[in-house]
Amino acid sequence: RSKTRRYSTDTASLKRWPREKIGGGSRLAGFSMEFYISFPLEVLVMNDPEKQAGGSSQGPDTSGSQAAEEDFAALFAATEDSGERRNIVVGDRVSGRVIAIDDATVFVAIGGKGEATLDAAELRDPVSGELSVVVGDTVEATVVDDGSRSGSAVLRRVLGRGAQFSAELEQAAEHGIPIEGMVSGEVKGGFEVQIGAVRAFCPGSQIDLRRGGERIPAAEYVGKRFPFRITKFDERARNVVVSRRDILEEEAAAKADATWAAIHVGAVLTGTVVSIRDFGAFVDLGGVEGMIHVSELGYQRVAHPSEVLEAGQTVEVQVVKVAETVDSRGRRQVGLSLKALADDPWATAPERYPAGATVSGIVRRLESYGAFVELQPGLDGLVHISKIGSGRRLAHARQALAEGQEVQVTVVSIDTEARRISLSMIEQAKRADEAKAQSERQDEQRMIEELNRPKSLGTFADLLVGAGVKSKG
């Protein structure tokens, strides 16, 4: 809620203003200048006779300097009296609106705290060089100069890119300001990070929020630039320890409030797989982690979550459980499911596998009482041991079958409520035996018909040929 107005004056008139308001006015004596000042809207209205009278301003009044110019000292005093202006200190994290941009600098209005500058290079795309912000956008940055040195507040998003590197390094260590560095290699216990001309060490546990049971390869970090926070620093910069995890945790905490507002049983959310364990997978929902138990990965049988998911994969999940209490680490457990969003194969099983149908399947599990045959992912049926051997007595299903074997089975019955399908291999064997017997009966019938068929006496020529053969003999 501020507005910028344009004024012209000579520097002699500025002597009665506080020095910090104009950035060192005593050095400007003897010059006339045109400048802009930003005041809260309430202050401008309070000091604008036309606004107080309910009128509207139609533009600058050039009838005279007394009528055209407002009392600057009164405006500044009103700004101070409004209670909006608060002191800022180096290290403060502030948010402000972009009010102007030039080739090298972005000017940011930071509320009652005034205006600050931000190096435009920090907001340019590293490839195209295009600025990522326009006038009116909101940016967030850290105060690196409260005005005591340069006369105006200076902001930085990430240190480590400027020419004054030594001063920036010390400032980052003192105030906890993020500083940019490149992971140059993996070393014992962590990673080597190059920050300008300084080599720092980042412990392996501090390079990410978590690297998972199957550790994320070092190649995922080496050669890349990240913001770090200095956790240990000496004056000669010979022993510098940094952490990336601190920054990631802060970002996650900022996201967590919005994420918790969306979490409830039945909610469908998008997240990223961050870790895989034998019992399930952990998914980052945006500052909040939930777990997909191995039984909730789908309707199909899963021996290990890695068969279905991998770290870094984006997934859509449904919330199936939210703990009412927090655990020992102060976190509430969130149960997630992929299975809840998948199509239930039992819904169409009666139409696809009616009683009497013969289908193919894969033997998935063998027991003493029979064999489980998968008809499709998530849909298994049982072949009882008495319906496997085709007349043979079996002590175990493995005597006739092997896991992974493809077999033909007949659907005996299906119960969708109990989720059971009864299968048989005897019917198939019976059909094969009946088909074989039928084929043999057909062959026998053809032979009988051939033997009983009346023989022909032949032609007259055949008789003459036959008689000639006999006479020669």
Side-chain angles (χ1 to χ4, degrees):
R1 290 176 55 82
S2 63
K3 185 174 181 180
T4 301
R5 288 194 174 182
R6 179 179 176 183
Y7 300 98
S8 297
T9 188
D10 59 83
T11 53
S13 303
L14 300 178
K15 292 182 179 180
R16 57 196 176 99
W17 293 356
R19 179 184 178 92
E20 62 269 17
K21 303 293 184 184
I22 57 174
S26 61
R27 291 176 295 176
L28 304 176
F31 291 91
S32 293
M33 55 195 277
E34 193 173 73
F35 57 94
Y36 295 83
I37 302 179
S38 179
F39 297 103
L41 289 179
E42 295 85 350
V43 175
L44 289 172
V45 171
M46 180 179 67
N47 288 273
D48 192 331
E50 292 187 7
K51 297 290 184 181
Q52 292 178 359
S56 60
S57 178
Q58 302 297 324
D61 184 359
T62 59
S63 60
S65 60
Q66 286 292 334
E69 296 185 0
E70 296 157 317
D71 187 342
F72 301 132
L75 286 173
F76 278 118
T79 302
E80 298 294 337
D81 294 341
S82 67
E84 291 188 12
R85 190 174 185 87
R86 299 187 303 271
N87 291 329
I88 58 173
V89 296
V90 174
D92 280 356
R93 192 75 175 168
V94 297
S95 178
R97 182 174 56 86
V98 176
I99 58 172
I101 299 174
D102 65 20
D103 291 339
T105 308
V106 174
F107 298 90
V108 182
I110 47 178
K113 295 181 278 293
E115 294 175 4
T117 59
L118 179 63
D119 189 352
E122 291 197 61
L123 300 171
R124 293 189 184 278
D125 184 276
V127 177
S128 66
E130 295 292 327
L131 275 172
S132 60
V133 298
V134 296
V135 173
D137 285 353
T138 299
V139 295
E140 189 172 318
T142 302
V143 178
V144 295
D145 182 0
D146 58 8
S148 58
R149 291 185 298 176
S150 62
S152 63
V154 179
L155 306 179
R156 293 295 295 271
R157 299 187 78 182
V158 179
L159 296 181
R161 298 179 182 175
Q164 305 298 324
F165 175 73
S166 298
E168 288 186 353
L169 191 67
E170 183 178 352
Q171 195 175 51
E174 182 179 355
H175 299 287
I177 302 173
I179 190 164
E180 188 177 69
M182 186 186 75
V183 180
S184 55
E186 186 179 22
V187 296
K188 183 178 180 181
F191 294 85
E192 182 181 81
V193 180
Q194 195 72 32
I195 305 175
V198 175
R199 285 189 293 182
F201 172 72
C202 179
S205 61
Q206 299 298 309
I207 195 68
D208 216 326
L209 287 174
R210 64 165 76 205
R211 293 182 66 188
E214 299 178 0
R215 294 175 66 82
I216 297 175
E220 292 294 320
Y221 307 103
V222 176
K224 297 181 180 179
R225 305 186 74 86
F226 301 105
F228 293 88
R229 181 164 285 128
I230 298 175
T231 58
K232 186 177 181 180
F233 177 78
D234 60 21
E235 294 182 357
R236 296 183 180 180
R238 294 181 178 178
N239 185 18
V240 181
V241 181
V242 296
S243 169
R244 178 172 174 249
R245 181 170 181 168
D246 288 353
I247 297 174
L248 295 177
E249 286 179 343
E250 290 176 3
E251 293 174 351
K255 296 178 183 177
D257 291 340
T259 302
W260 275 115
I263 292 179
H264 58 84
V265 174
V268 178
L269 305 171
T270 300
T272 303
V273 178
V274 294
S275 178
I276 294 177
R277 299 286 190 270
D278 293 339
F279 51 83
F282 289 92
V283 177
D284 178 19
L285 302 174
V288 177
E289 282 191 10
M291 189 191 76
I292 309 174
H293 191 266
V294 66
S295 62
E296 293 293 333
L297 291 172
Y299 287 98
Q300 72 275 24
R301 293 182 180 275
V302 179
H304 194 275
S306 59
E307 297 176 6
V308 180
L309 301 172
E310 61 181 12
Q313 181 179 344
T314 300
V315 293
E316 188 176 52
V317 293
Q318 185 174 63
V319 179
V320 294
K321 179 183 178 182
V322 180
E324 296 182 358
T325 58
V326 298
D327 58 18
S328 58
R329 301 177 65 181
R331 301 183 301 185
R332 293 168 62 191
Q333 294 183 352
V334 179
L336 307 174
S337 174
L338 289 173
K339 183 177 180 180
L341 298 177
D343 293 331
D344 187 353
W346 284 94
T348 57
E351 291 77 20
R352 300 189 64 180
Y353 306 102
T358 298
V359 295
S360 62
I362 305 295
V363 178
R364 293 302 185 191
R365 188 156 54 98
L366 299 173
E367 302 291 349
S368 60
Y369 52 83
F372 288 92
V373 177
E374 181 186 66
L375 305 181
Q376 71 177 71
L379 202 63
D380 291 359
L382 174 65
V383 183
H384 192 269
I385 194 167
S386 63
K387 298 181 179 180
I388 295 177
S390 186
R392 289 191 299 156
R393 292 183 62 85
L394 303 175
H396 199 283
R398 71 168 67 97
Q399 293 177 302
L401 299 171
E403 291 185 3
Q405 178 181 345
E406 184 174 354
V407 294
Q408 294 290 317
V409 292
T410 300
V411 179
V412 178
S413 64
I414 183 169
D415 185 345
T416 55
E417 291 186 4
R419 294 188 173 239
R420 293 176 181 174
I421 299 179
S422 179
L423 305 173
S424 174
M425 297 177 64
I426 291 180
E427 280 71 12
Q428 184 66 18
K430 285 181 178 179
R431 290 195 183 100
D433 291 342
E434 289 176 358
K436 182 178 180 181
Q438 180 67 19
S439 177
E440 290 176 351
R441 286 195 295 270
Q442 290 175 352
D443 291 343
E444 184 179 353
Q445 184 65 29
R446 283 195 295 270
M447 292 177 63
I448 293 173
E449 290 176 355
E450 186 69 27
L451 291 173
N452 292 334
R453 183 179 300 150
K455 294 187 179 294
S456 172
L457 294 176
T459 64
F460 182 70
D462 292 336
L463 291 174
L464 290 177
V465 172
V469 172
K470 288 180 180 181
S471 61
K472 288 181 181 181

